[in-house]
Amino acid sequence: MNKILKILIVLNDLDEKLKIFKDQKYREIFNISSKMIQTWEKKREKEFSKLPIEVQENYERLRRRYGFGLASVTDGSCNNCNQKLPTFMLAIKNPNKELRTCPNCGIYIIL
């Protein structure tokens, strides 16, 4: 698997956790402290800093637009925009060896 894609997977997971942790309702239910959130934010910053600048900028732009920067592919369709990917993309032997984006919505994808 591509090194940048691995980082994006971790980053996407951290972003989802932080979104939940920052919700006041969940903070009260699960007793999540501000210190815990700060710890997760530092982990996110560390992972984010490992990405090339152009990937950082694109990931943040995608997050602002869609709420996340990475989507999986199910049955040949992007789970963000639900469009079928071109056959050539689905036929690649090691599809996650390179960083790929959905040709329709532009989100980073995991094949």
Side-chain angles (χ1 to χ4, degrees), residues 46-87:
K46 182 179 176 185
E47 291 300 319
F48 188 73
S49 69
K50 294 177 185 177
L51 294 171
I53 297 296
E54 62 274 4
V55 176
Q56 288 180 359
E57 291 170 353
N58 196 38
Y59 180 82
E60 288 300 309
R61 182 183 59 77
L62 291 165
R63 272 191 29 166
R64 283 190 303 276
R65 185 170 186 179
Y66 301 119
F68 45 89
L70 182 69
S72 59
V73 173
T74 304
D75 296 327
S77 296
C78 170
N79 284 336
N80 182 53
C81 66
N82 297 315
Q83 293 292 311
K84 282 276 190 196
L85 297 179
T87 306

Side-chain angles (χ1 to χ4, degrees), residues 85-95 100 111:
L85 297 179
T87 306
F88 78 89
M89 287 183 83
L90 301 172
I92 297 170
K93 268 191 174 182
N94 296 321
R100 301 192 186 285
L111 292 168

Side-chain angles (χ1 to χ4, degrees), residues 15-69:
D15 285 336
E16 287 300 310
K17 286 178 182 167
L18 280 167
K19 188 186 298 184
I20 292 167
F21 290 172
K22 288 180 178 180
D23 184 315
Q24 189 62 37
K25 180 175 74 175
Y26 289 103
R27 287 181 73 175
E28 290 171 5
I29 292 170
F30 297 108
N31 197 24
I32 298 167
S33 68
S34 295
K35 190 172 183 175
M36 286 175 68
I37 292 173
Q38 288 174 344
T39 300
W40 285 101
E41 286 174 337
K42 285 178 185 176
K43 287 180 183 182
R44 185 201 186 276
E45 288 174 25
K46 182 179 176 185
E47 291 300 319
F48 188 73
S49 69
K50 294 177 185 177
L51 294 171
I53 297 296
E54 62 274 4
V55 176
Q56 288 180 359
E57 291 170 353
N58 196 38
Y59 180 82
E60 288 300 309
R61 182 183 59 77
L62 291 165
R63 272 191 29 166
R64 283 190 303 276
R65 185 170 186 179
Y66 301 119
F68 45 89

